C-alpha cells in the first residue's frame, strides 16, 4: 500500500531514464503512471503531495505509445475469416503473439466472405481492453464484400456483393449486427454506396475506400459523406494517372471538407509498395499515413500453403500469393518491421515512423484522446524501443506484458 499523501491508494510508477515521444518529439523526461493512465507530475506534486511508489529504469530506451494495427487478417496459423468452434480463442492467440511486435491494440480483419461466416464470427469478437493476455480489440475491420470485381485482389469473386438499395439494410443482411465493427472497406463507385457511407459514418463506424475502380470525383463524394480512410493505398485500385488520379488523388485533393483528414493505410513491407511510392505518399500527406500489416495467417509461420478466408495462399520467401497465381494476398510482415522499413525507405524521422503506427491510427478511429499519445490522462500503453526501433518491451495500462529475452 502506498505511503505517500496521494488522494488515491493505487501505486504510482515512475519511468526514468527514457526518451518519451510527446508533442511529436522525443523528450528526455520521466513518465508517471497510476491506474493505467499517464499522470501530470506537477498536479501530483502540488495538488496531492504524492510521489512514486515504484521506479522503472528504462535504460535510455525510446518510450512511444503502443502500436495500433487497424488491418490484420490473422497470423500464427489463425485466420480471422474462418470460423472455428472458439473464435475468441483464435483472436486471443494472435492478440498475445503481437505483443512482441509492440502492438497494444488492433482491429481483427475479415476479408470478403459469405454471410454465414460473418454471422458466425462477428457476434463472437467483442471490443475489449488489452492486458497481460494480449492486445486490446478496438473492433472489427470488415474488408468487403461490397467491393469492385475488377479490383478484388485476393478476395473470392463468388462472395462479392453490390448494394441492392440505399441504407444500412444491405449491410445487416450480409454482416448481421454491426455492434463490434470499427471499420468497413467498400468501393465508393458502387450504386447506392453514398447513403451507406453516410449511415455508417453517423453510427461512428470508419468508412474506408478500397478494392475499387473509383475515379477521383467518386472518392471525393464519399469523403464528403463521411469516408475517412483508404485501404492499403496503391494496392487494389487503379494506378495513378495524371488526368484522373483516382482514389490516390485524395492525398492532395482540395475538395476534402475543412477540418477533415483523409487517412491512408500503407503496407510498408518492402513488397506491396515500392520505396519511391512510399516516399511520394508520405511527402505529399505525412499526417495521414497509417502503417498497417495486412498480415495473414502465415505471419510467424514457415513458407508453405495456408488460408486467407475462402482462398488458399502460398508463402514464397517474403511474398504471400493466392495459390497458383502472382496475386499478392496480404503480408507476413510484423508491425515493428513495417515501422523500421518505413523509416528507412522514406527517410522520415524516428518520431514520424512511430506516430504512423500509433498516433495516426488512433486519430483515424477517433480515440486519440486516450490512445496513440503519451499525454496526461492517456492510457499507459507503451512500447520500449532501442535506437534501431527494435522492440525491447511492451506495456499495457502501465503493466509490462512482454519483454525481449536477455
Amino acid at each position: 500500500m502506498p505511503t505517500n499523501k496521494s488522494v488515491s491508494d493505487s501505486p504510482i510508477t515512475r519511468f526514468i531514464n527514457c526518451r518519451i515521444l510527446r508533442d511529436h518529439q522525443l523528450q528526455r523526461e520521466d513518465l508517471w503512471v497510476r491506474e493505467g493512465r499517464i499522470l501530470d507530475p506537477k498536479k501530483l506534486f502540488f495538488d496531492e503531495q504524492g510521489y512514486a511508489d515504484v521506479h522503472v529504469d528504462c535504460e535510455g530506451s525510446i518510450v512511444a505509445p503502443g502500436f495500433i494495427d487497424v488491418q490484420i487478417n490473422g497470423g500464427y496459423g489463425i485466420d480471422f475469416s474462418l470460423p472455428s468452434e472458439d473464435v475468441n480463442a483464435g483472436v486471443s492467440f494472435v492478440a498475445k503473439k503481437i505483443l512482441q511486435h509492440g502492438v497494444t491494440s488492433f482491429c481483427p480483419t475479415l476479408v470478403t466472405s459469405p454471410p454465414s461466416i460473418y454471422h458466425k464470427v462477428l457476434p463472437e469478437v467483442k471490443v475489449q481492453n488489452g492486458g497481460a493476455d494480449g492486445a486490446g480489440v478496438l473492433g472489427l475491420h470488415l474488408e468487403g464484400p461490397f467491393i469492385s470485381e475488377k479490383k478484388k485482389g485476393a478476395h473470392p469473386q463468388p462472395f462479392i456483393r453490390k448494394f441492392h438499395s440505399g441504407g444500412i439494410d444491405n449491410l445487416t443482411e450480409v454482416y448481421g449486427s454491426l455492434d463490434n465493427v470499427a471499420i468497413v472497406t467498400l468501393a465508393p463507385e458502387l450504386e447506392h454506396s453514398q447513403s451507406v457511407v453516410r449511415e455508417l459514418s453517423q453510427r461512428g463506424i470508419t468508412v474506408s475506400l478500397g478494392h475499387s475502380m473509383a475515379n477521383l470525383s467518386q472518392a471525393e463524394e464519399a469523403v464528403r459523406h463521411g469516408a475517412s480512410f483508404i485501404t492499403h493505398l496503391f494496392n487494389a485500385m487503379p494506378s495513378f494517372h495524371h488526368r484522373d488520379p483516382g482514389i490516390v488523388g485524395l492525398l492532395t485533393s482540395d475538395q476534402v471538407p475543412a477540418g477533415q483528414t483523409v487517412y491512408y493505410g500503407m503496407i510498408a513491407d518492402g513488397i506491396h509498395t515500392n520505396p519511391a511510392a512510399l516516399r511520394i505518399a508520405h511527402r505529399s500527406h505525412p499526417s495521414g499515413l497509417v502503417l498497417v500489416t495486412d498480415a495473414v495467417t502465415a505471419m510467424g509461420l514457415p513458407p508453405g500453403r495456408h488460408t486467407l478466408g475462402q482462398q488458399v495462399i502460398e508463402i514464397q520467401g517474403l511474398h504471400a500469393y493466392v495459390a497458383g497465381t502472382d496475386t499478392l494476398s496480404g503480408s507476413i510482415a510484423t508491425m515493428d518491421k513495417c515501422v523500421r522499413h518505413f523509416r528507412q525507405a522514406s527517410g522520415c524521422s524516428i518520431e514520424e515512423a512511430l506516430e504512423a503506427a500509433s498516433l495516426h491510427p488512433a486519430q483515424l478511429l477517433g480515440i486519440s484522446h486516450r490512445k496513440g499519445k503519451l499525454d496526461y490522462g492517456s492510457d499507459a500503453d507503451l512500447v520500449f524501443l532501442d535506437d534501431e526501433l527494435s522492440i525491447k518491451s511492451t506495456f499495457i495500462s502501465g503493466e509490462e506484458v512482454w519483454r525481449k529475452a536477455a
Side-chain angles (χ1 to χ4, degrees):
M1 182 69 68
T3 56
N4 63 43
K5 298 179 182 179
S6 167
V7 297
S8 172
D9 288 336
S10 298
I12 298 169
T13 302
R14 181 183 183 184
F15 294 88
I16 62 173
N17 190 17
C18 50
R19 289 167 289 161
I20 302 171
L21 178 57
R22 181 177 283 158
D23 296 329
H24 314 297
Q25 293 182 331
L26 289 177
Q27 306 181 23
R28 284 201 171 272
E29 57 182 277
D30 297 345
L31 188 73
W32 298 71
V33 174
R34 178 175 62 197
E35 296 178 333
R37 298 286 184 87
I38 296 171
L39 286 175
D40 180 348
K42 290 183 179 179
K43 289 187 176 181
L44 176 67
F45 298 151
F46 296 112
D47 296 351
E48 301 184 33
Q49 298 181 3
Y51 54 84
D53 302 282
V54 179
H55 288 79
V56 175
D57 187 348
C58 303
E59 300 177 341
S61 299
I62 294 170
V63 178
F67 298 155
I68 300 170
D69 193 350
V70 300
Q71 187 177 5
I72 171 172
N73 308 287
Y76 303 95
I78 302 298
D79 184 345
F80 298 145
S81 299
L82 285 181
S84 63
E85 290 187 6
D86 191 345
V87 172
N88 263 319
V91 173
S92 297
F93 184 75
V94 175
K96 180 78 170 181
K97 285 286 192 178
I98 59 180
L99 294 175
Q100 65 189 293
H101 304 299
V103 178
T104 54
S105 301
F106 71 114
C107 294
T109 304
L110 275 70
V111 296
T112 293
S113 303
S116 60
I117 299 292
Y118 296 116
H119 292 180
K120 166 70 174 175
V121 174
L122 268 59
E124 299 295 321
V125 182
K126 307 295 185 185
V127 174
Q128 59 187 23
N129 295 324
D133 291 333
V137 175
L138 298 172
L140 288 153
H141 179 168
L142 305 181
E143 187 186 358
F146 300 99
I147 59 175
S148 167
E149 294 183 359
K150 294 181 179 179
K151 288 295 178 181
K152 66 182 188 301
H155 291 234
Q157 180 148 354
F159 308 118
I160 292 174
R161 294 290 196 100
K162 292 181 171 63
F163 298 113
H164 55 71
S165 63
I168 213 76
D169 290 348
N170 298 263
L171 283 83
T172 54
E173 178 185 319
V174 173
Y175 298 141
S177 172
L178 296 170
D179 289 348
N180 293 300
V181 175
I183 305 173
V184 172
T185 291
L186 54 80
E189 72 273 20
L190 297 179
E191 189 177 5
H192 305 302
S193 66
Q194 301 307 337
S195 61
V196 174
V197 170
R198 184 172 57 251
E199 288 204 38
L200 283 171
S201 300
Q202 289 172 347
R203 289 181 176 222
I205 296 173
T206 297
V207 177
S208 188
L209 310 181
H211 287 276
S212 167
M213 288 292 295
N215 59 37
L216 179 56
S217 64
Q218 290 169 328
E220 289 171 335
E221 183 181 4
V223 169
R224 286 193 291 271
H225 282 84
S228 58
F229 194 41
I230 303 170
T231 296
H232 43 52
L233 184 74
F234 298 125
N235 291 279
M237 61 187 64
S239 300
F240 177 89
H241 192 283
H242 60 284
R243 292 196 183 94
D244 190 333
I247 290 176
V248 177
L250 287 175
L251 272 63
T252 57
S253 171
D254 59 0
Q255 298 301 307
V256 175
Q260 187 173 337
T261 299
V262 175
Y263 296 90
Y264 58 98
M266 295 293 289
I267 311 170
D269 61 353
I271 295 168
H272 279 78
T273 308
N274 185 279
L278 188 57
R279 288 191 290 273
I280 288 171
H282 175 247
R283 293 175 189 178
S284 63
H285 186 25
S287 62
L289 194 149
V290 174
L291 290 175
V292 300
T293 62
D294 198 19
V296 297
T297 321
M299 180 180 69
L301 298 181
R305 290 202 165 201
H306 306 280
T307 65
L308 176 60
Q310 311 303 303
Q311 301 269 45
V312 176
I313 61 173
E314 190 168 8
I315 305 304
Q316 301 175 18
L318 299 176
H319 295 71
Y321 297 109
V322 174
T325 76
D326 59 359
T327 299
L328 286 171
S329 58
S331 165
I332 56 174
T334 57
M335 182 59 83
D336 55 323
K337 288 182 180 178
C338 289
V339 170
R340 290 191 294 270
H341 178 74
F342 170 50
R343 184 194 173 208
Q344 183 274 325
S346 70
C348 72
S349 67
I350 287 176
E351 291 92 338
E352 288 176 304
L354 294 171
E355 287 186 342
S358 55
L359 174 62
H360 297 172
Q363 291 173 328
L364 165 70
L365 294 175
I367 57 173
S368 60
H369 58 290
R370 58 187 179 91
K371 294 189 184 295
K373 296 180 182 179
L374 299 183
D375 291 352
Y376 305 139
S378 295
D379 293 348
D381 294 350
L382 319 169
V383 59
F384 287 17
L385 310 101
D386 62 22
D387 288 342
E388 302 304 316
L389 300 185
S390 294
I391 309 297
K392 298 172 69 174
S393 55
T394 304
F395 290 72
I396 293 181
S397 297
E399 300 293 331
E400 188 176 69
V401 293
W402 182 83
R403 174 184 285 269
K404 184 179 180 179

